[in-house]
Amino acid sequence: MKFDVILRVGTKLILPFVLLFALYVQMHGDYGPGGGFQAGVIAAGMIILYAIIFGVRRAKEIAPQRVVEIMIPLGVLIYASTGAMSMILGNNFLDYSGFAHDHLHAHEWGIFAVELGVLVSVAGTMTAMFYAFAERGR
């Protein structure tokens, strides 16, 4: 029983730092290892850890199944919209030149938008897969 309390308290203490690390990996992806995929897996890992410690039902209160299922195509939409916006601005698909006043800032904004789409899709997919496997085991 004490072990259960330690796990629950420890998980509640560590989860904000896991989310912060996911955001760091997302923001750091332009300059080093990391990016949307890694950040999405870390963010999904946060929900999965919560589900393992507190139960899938409680995890679905924080990240409902419907929201998770919407995240998957939403991330693809963000990614595709970034490319479409490039074309609307008169450039090639995913050519970020028109996103800002100079090439460096335009590239940063474009990569950020694409990586955000990847983060949303990956986090949704990984969480949905966990929910599917967790429900199957019942």
Side-chain angles (χ1 to χ4, degrees):
M1 189 64 167
K2 274 189 173 182
F3 189 66
D4 185 48
V5 172
I6 293 170
L7 285 176
R8 288 174 186 262
V9 170
T11 299
K12 284 185 178 182
L13 289 173
I14 200 171
L15 285 181
F17 296 105
V18 173
L19 179 60
L20 184 64
F21 183 63
L23 294 174
Y24 167 76
V25 169
Q26 168 71 17
M27 300 301 176
H28 192 264
D30 288 354
Y31 306 106
F37 185 84
Q38 294 86 343
V41 171
I42 294 168
M46 181 182 67
I47 300 297
I48 293 168
L49 173 64
Y50 190 87
I52 289 170
I53 299 300
F54 294 99
V56 176
R57 185 182 56 76
R58 293 247 336 248
K60 285 185 175 184
E61 291 173 4
I62 321 176
Q65 179 89 31
R66 184 73 184 133
V67 171
V68 168
E69 290 172 356
I70 289 172
M71 287 172 64
I72 299 167
L74 177 64
V76 175
L77 181 65
I78 293 169
Y79 190 103
S81 297
T82 304
M85 183 58 81
S86 297
M87 294 176 73
I88 289 170
L89 294 172
N91 299 313
N92 292 327
F93 188 76
L94 294 178
D95 178 6
Y96 315 120
S97 301
F99 286 4
H101 61 282
D102 64 25
H103 180 72
L104 181 63
H105 287 101
H107 184 75
E108 286 179 11
W109 281 107
I111 291 293
F112 177 77
V114 165
E115 293 292 338
L116 181 65
V118 172
L119 171 122
V120 170
S121 276
V122 169
T125 302
M126 297 299 289
T127 306
M129 286 173 53
F130 174 78
Y131 284 168
F133 284 119
E135 289 171 355
R136 189 169 187 207
R138 290 182 190 184

